[in-house]
Amino acid sequence: MPPRIPTEPFDVESLIPELAGLGRETTLLYPRSGEPGMCASSIGGPLLWPADEPWPLCAEPGHWKPLRSPTEVVGPEPVAMVPVVQLYARDVPGIPFLPGTDVLQVVWCPLIHDDEAGTVLPKVYWRSEQAVAGGRVLPDPPVPYEYDEEFVPRPCTVTPTRVVEYPNGDLPDSLARTSDQWFAAIEEEFGLSYYEMATTVQSKAGGYPGWLQQPDWPDCRCGRRMDHLLSITATEPVEGRWFRSVGQGSKSPEPGRWATTGGHPGVDAVGHGMDMGDLGGVYLFVCPECPGMPYAHRYDC
C-alpha cells in the first residue's frame, strides 16, 4: 500500500495567516536501496536510454576529485556521466514535462567542477517512454574511470508521495521579521516546530528547495525566475513526521555503485548513499515558459 503522511496537528495557514496561499504540492521520493528496473522511477537506477544515442561524457578541462591525494585535475580523457534520477510523469503529476514526453532523466559528471555551482555537472533529458521502449535500449552504459564516491548514488527504488509543504528559507519578508514569535508559540503549544511539521528537506520533485544556505534562485534568460523542479539531497528523514517506512528494500555496504573500498555491513536502506560534500544537495530548476524548457542547477551545502 502507498505510504500515508499523518496530518499535521495544526492548520498552518490558520495559525500563520501570512502563509495563506503559499502551500505547494510536492512529491517526496523516499529513495530506498533496491533493484529498480529501467521502466520504473528511481534514483541511481538504470535509465530507459536509446541504444543509438551516445551516452553523455564530460570533457570539462577543470573537473577534479577532492579525495585524490594530492588533489589534482582529472583527465584529459572524457569521463562517463552517471545515472542519477529517472522519473515517469505518472509518478510525479505536479511537475512540468516537455510536450510529447513522459520521462525525466538526470545524469551528472561525478567529479567536482569550478563553475558557478561548484559541484557536479548535471544534464537533463526528456523522453517518450513509448518511443524509446519501442526500439533498442542501451543495456550497459559506460562506467566512469574516475569519480567522487560522494556523488555516485546506489540504485534506489522510490515511493512518490504527494504532500503540501510551506517555505523555509523563502519565507515572505513580512513573516521573516515576526517568525520567531509565531514559531515559538507553535512549538510551545504543539511540541513540534514549524520547520519539522510544514517544511521538507529531502529528495523531492516540485515544491520548495530545502535551502541550507540563503536562497539562490536562478533566473532564466527571459528574465523570469525559474521554478524548482527537483531536489536530490544527502538528507532523508529517519524519524519525525516525514519519515515513512516504505518497504525494507535491500542493503548495500557501499556508499556508491562503483565504490572500490568496502563499507560497513548493515548500512541502512534509507537514502541513495551520497554524502554530497557536507551533507548538501543539488537542486534543479526549469523555466516552463521558454521553448525547450531551459534548466539550471544550484549546489547547497
Side-chain angles (χ1 to χ4, degrees), residues 171-242:
L171 287 170
D173 291 341
S174 60
L175 179 57
R177 291 190 291 268
T178 59
S179 60
D180 289 346
Q181 174 185 347
W182 285 109
F183 296 167
I186 289 174
E187 191 156 5
E188 181 177 354
E189 182 172 354
F190 298 101
L192 295 165
S193 76
Y194 163 83
Y195 294 101
E196 292 175 298
M197 297 305 299
T199 73
T200 67
V201 182
Q202 61 194 92
S203 298
K204 57 186 173 181
Y208 290 95
W211 300 111
L212 301 175
Q213 305 296 333
Q214 289 298 310
D216 184 21
W217 291 85
D219 291 327
C220 180
R221 58 178 177 265
C222 71
R224 179 184 181 275
R225 192 178 83 168
M226 289 185 163
D227 297 341
H228 174 243
L229 175 71
L230 181 67
S231 289
I232 301 299
T233 64
T235 302
E236 298 291 341
V238 294
E239 61 181 358
R241 181 190 175 206
W242 301 111

Side-chain angles (χ1 to χ4, degrees), residues 17-30:
E18 287 90 340
L19 287 175
L22 293 181
R24 289 187 182 177
E25 287 195 339
T26 183
T27 302
L28 306 180
L29 297 179
Y30 292 114

